[in-house]
Amino acid sequence: MPDKFFFEGTEDKPQINFDPRNNLFEITGNSFPEESTNFYIPVLHWLDNYTKNPNESTHLICKIEYLNSLSAKFIFELFLILQKITSTGKTVRVSWYYNPNDDFIEEKGAEFKSALEIPFNLIPLN
Amino acid sequence: MDINTTFWFYDRIKTDNLCLLYNGIISDDITNKLIELSEFNISNVEGLSKMKKKASFLMAECFQNIIRHGEMITDLEKHHNNSFFLTRNWNDIYCIASGNLVVKKNIHNIENQMKTVNSLNKDELKELYLQVLEHNEISGKGGAGLGLIEMARKSGHKIQFVFEKFDESMSYFYNQILLHPDDSNKELSINHAPISDAISFHKKMQEESILVVQKGDFAQESILPVLKIVDNNLKSVFKNSSSKKKIFHIIVELLQNISKHGWKDQKISEGIILLGKSESNYTINTGNFIENDKVDALRERLQNLNDLSKDQLKDLYFSKLKERYIPEMKGAGIGLIDIARRITSPLVYNFTKIDARKSFVTIHIVA
């Protein structure tokens, strides 16, 4: 089992906490790095490696406040990698949280959901 | 504001390294953000960073003056008639100006204070300062004196000031100070940025409902403080966080495009951004240089986006989203597509050839 992937998060980069041992997968905060590629490639590599021997069930929790267009592309890429888990017979699902006043994040979640084949729940925050 | 507004401002501040213009209500919140941005700007200019403390102090005094003089103005009037704030930097000179409404009966008093302070040399100012400290005030309006004296002492310059009649009962009070290391050419500085510039900027901003103009380096670390001001401004205008996010998003995408694809002069991607407000929309203008050989491709892409319906744009967006990642992917053009999906009228753009190597591109967006 790969070790955890952790990034603390900054003003323009999200906190990333992928912790297979505790079966916790979270992305939280803002995402509009200047170099999205440099930021997301290591995350994608880690996740790709994880899908080779994933937990019985993987639940990714996204609580994103803002994401720019290139981050959206990389996060979609990340969902596609997770989607591969379904072919191994194990399960994967995504919970996409949004503020009820925030169409921007809600719509982005709905777009992702429409383009994916894994359970993808849109959940309003209280 | 329309697409030509960008060049109107750019042309007048083109030799500035940095220029921030703000036309709006001066609240504590926005004051802190403006000072934070200006401090950031100062610390990035070689030779200026040692003046950071002085400059912050002077800005804080400016804002206090605005708030103090504004006490007699009703909230309704304040809401319709914005205050003005400016910081500019060129060479090693830093310029700070502000403008705000004052009631007619205060003008005489303020003018006298300004004249007194401007007539004194360094030692006399110090003496007056101590005297005021001891006796509390030189004016009927307590405190106003100390701030002015301190501004004059810290700047080492005469404070430039002008009253511009607004109506029968009020005038705009503009004042401007310069800061520079001791060995600068003082005469040259005054000619570079006369206070009449500040006044004409404010008038233009009022006429065209422009909230913020910023010219400078648009690398990510420089745009973060600008985004904070925008964010703060949007919060006060929109109750609905969706519209706020949309505007914020468009600005992020535009600035990051400039930073990534713009012409770089010594690694700096220079540009100008204007944020304006019309009755029901926000308007965003950007201007920056690009290499001549990129002009045709960009023009074609912008035209193509304008030709597509919202449904076609959506399809194009999804096809870009689903394209697999390739290492040399720079931005995949997804940013402009995303902007085009969210705006209410077509993108307006213009290219002006500057010289054999670069052109100036302006984009005007209504969202």
Side-chain angles (χ1 to χ4, degrees):
Chain A
M1 191 181 285
D3 272 347
K4 63 186 281 176
F5 185 102
F6 183 79
F7 179 80
E8 176 60 48
T10 64
E11 211 171 336
D12 57 4
K13 298 180 192 77
Q15 186 187 84
I16 295 191
N17 189 9
F18 292 168
D19 183 355
R21 264 189 199 92
N22 295 306
N23 207 14
L24 193 69
F25 299 84
E26 279 185 321
I27 305 178
T28 314
N30 281 319
S31 181
F32 56 109
E34 180 164 37
E35 296 294 341
S36 301
T37 313
N38 295 350
F39 178 73
Y40 277 105
I41 290 304
V43 187
L44 298 179
H45 280 161
W46 185 95
L47 205 63
D48 205 35
N49 199 28
Y50 167 78
T51 58
K52 288 172 189 154
N53 184 18
N55 292 346
E56 277 308 311
S57 89
T58 305
H59 178 203
L60 175 62
I61 295 169
C62 298
K63 291 181 177 168
I64 292 171
E65 279 170 45
Y66 169 70
L67 76 171
N68 70 348
S69 60
L70 204 48
S71 295
K73 189 161 167 53
F74 278 112
I75 286 173
F76 185 73
E77 185 87 17
L78 192 145
F79 293 146
L80 288 179
I81 292 174
L82 279 181
Q83 193 161 280
K84 293 194 300 188
I85 291 177
T86 50
S87 65
T88 66
K90 294 176 174 174
T91 65
V92 59
R93 65 191 172 104
V94 177
S95 293
W96 181 269
Y97 287 87
Y98 63 93
N99 182 319
N101 302 319
D102 188 350
D103 298 349
F104 185 90
I105 291 297
E106 186 184 358
E107 279 170 21
K108 198 48 81 183
E111 281 178 3
F112 287 146
K113 182 184 167 84
S114 73
L116 291 165
E117 288 155 14
I118 46 176
F120 194 104
N121 296 315
L122 299 170
I123 307 167
L125 287 161
N126 292 322
Chain B
M1 95 182 160
D2 62 24
I3 191 162
N4 299 315
T5 313
T6 310
F7 202 75
W8 189 95
F9 279 98
Y10 191 84
D11 197 38
R12 285 161 176 79
I13 54 180
K14 60 184 166 214
T15 56
D16 290 13
N17 296 323
L18 300 159
C19 177
L20 168 69
L21 310 174
Y22 176 82
N23 165 48
I25 295 167
I26 305 274
S27 64
D28 283 345
D29 229 13
I30 203 78
T31 301
N32 292 337
K33 295 284 184 301
L34 288 168
I35 292 180
E36 195 180 312
L37 174 57
S38 306
E39 280 180 346
F40 178 84
N41 286 343
I42 293 173
S43 52
N44 273 5
V45 179
E46 216 176 307
L48 267 188
S49 51
K50 59 181 180 226
M51 301 197 304
K52 190 165 121 179
K53 261 201 167 142
K54 245 185 197 181
S56 313
F57 172 86
L58 290 169
M59 285 184 271
E61 282 299 334
C62 270
F63 292 128
Q64 277 172 22
N65 279 337
I66 291 175
I67 290 163
R68 199 178 292 129
H69 291 141
E71 277 168 5
M72 311 280 288
I73 316 284
T74 67
D75 284 346
L76 185 69
E77 280 162 340
K78 270 185 209 163
H79 194 74
H80 288 289
N81 304 293
N82 291 322
S83 298
F84 175 70
F85 174 75
L86 160 162
T87 64
R88 298 173 71 176
N89 157 250
W90 64 95
N91 301 330
D92 54 358
I93 319 280
Y94 204 78
C95 172
I96 302 167
S98 65
N100 59 286
L101 284 175
V102 295
V103 293
K104 201 175 171 185
K105 74 178 181 73
N106 283 348
I107 292 177
H108 184 68
N109 194 6
I110 297 171
E111 197 168 12
N112 279 343
Q113 287 182 35
M114 299 298 293
K115 282 181 179 161
T116 307
V117 164
N118 277 345
S119 71
L120 302 177
N121 66 28
K122 208 177 155 189
D123 292 335
E124 290 166 333
L125 280 171
K126 187 180 173 188
E127 202 175 309
L128 180 64
Y129 177 77
L130 294 172
Q131 193 188 325
V132 174
L133 262 189
E134 204 173 323
H135 298 99
N136 274 331
E137 55 185 72
I138 47 169
S139 68
K141 186 128 184 83
L146 265 189
L148 276 180
I149 300 167
E150 278 293 81
M151 281 167 74
R153 286 183 71 198
K154 290 255 173 13
S155 153
H157 263 291
K158 304 294 174 211
I159 305 174
Q160 304 169 63
F161 67 97
V162 172
F163 291 94
E164 284 267 312
K165 187 175 168 180
F166 176 73
D167 63 16
E168 287 314 310
S169 62
M170 292 184 290
S171 287
Y172 268 105
F173 167 50
Y174 291 97
N175 63 83
Q176 174 167 298
I177 43 178
L178 299 173
L179 266 179
H180 52 72
D182 293 335
D183 50 0
S184 284
N185 184 333
K186 296 185 183 185
E187 291 313 310
L188 204 70
S189 345
I190 291 170
N191 293 335
H192 182 100
I195 192 167
S196 56
D197 273 10
I199 297 169
S200 69
F201 292 156
H202 189 208
K203 279 193 176 141
K204 182 83 172 171
M205 290 174 89
Q206 297 260 61
E207 279 163 20
E208 303 198 10
S209 302
I210 300 167
L211 300 168
V212 180
V213 177
Q214 157 106 356
K215 175 190 184 270
D217 172 18
F218 283 160
Q220 179 94 344
E221 54 163 18
S222 323
I223 68 170
L224 285 175
V226 180
L227 289 173
K228 276 192 197 161
I229 292 199
V230 169
D231 198 38
N232 197 282
N233 228 306
L234 296 173
K235 259 181 211 150
S236 65
V237 180
F238 287 116
K239 293 214 163 47
N240 177 343
S241 60
S242 302
S243 334
K244 184 181 85 97
K245 273 246 170 95
K246 182 172 83 168
I247 308 297
F248 185 85
H249 178 61
I250 292 172
I251 292 172
V252 170
E253 296 294 337
L254 288 171
L255 294 185
Q256 289 189 332
N257 270 345
I258 293 176
S259 173
K260 269 182 208 147
H261 308 295
W263 169 271
K264 288 183 184 53
D265 191 5
Q266 290 160 2
K267 289 190 182 166
I268 290 175
S269 314
E270 194 194 67
I272 181 170
I273 179 162
L274 296 80
L275 178 64
K277 173 99 182 75
S278 66
E279 255 173 49
S280 52
N281 296 306
Y282 260 91
T283 46
I284 303 155
N285 280 15
T286 58
N288 64 286
F289 294 105
I290 62 168
E291 285 160 37
N292 284 337
D293 60 13
K294 289 184 180 171
V295 168
D296 286 345
L298 180 57
R299 183 188 281 123
E300 199 179 320
R301 285 194 47 216
L302 293 166
Q303 188 53 51
N304 285 343
L305 291 175
N306 277 346
D307 291 342
L308 296 177
S309 69
K310 288 281 184 268
D311 280 343
Q312 287 171 318
L313 285 168
K314 189 179 173 187
D315 290 345
L316 182 60
Y317 177 80
F318 273 97
S319 74
K320 286 283 178 189
L321 191 68
K322 289 173 184 168
E323 256 174 31
R324 300 321 303 264
Y325 162 78
I326 43 163
E328 61 272 24
M329 181 173 78
K330 237 188 158 180
I334 202 168
L336 278 174
I337 301 167
D338 209 24
I339 290 175
R341 288 180 67 195
R342 296 168 190 279
I343 57 182
T344 47
S345 47
L347 296 154
V348 182
Y349 50 87
N350 184 48
F351 295 88
T352 309
K353 193 169 175 181
I354 301 294
D355 58 34
R357 294 193 301 168
K358 61 181 188 289
S359 294
F360 193 69
V361 50
T362 48
I363 295 181
H364 170 70
I365 281 173
V366 180

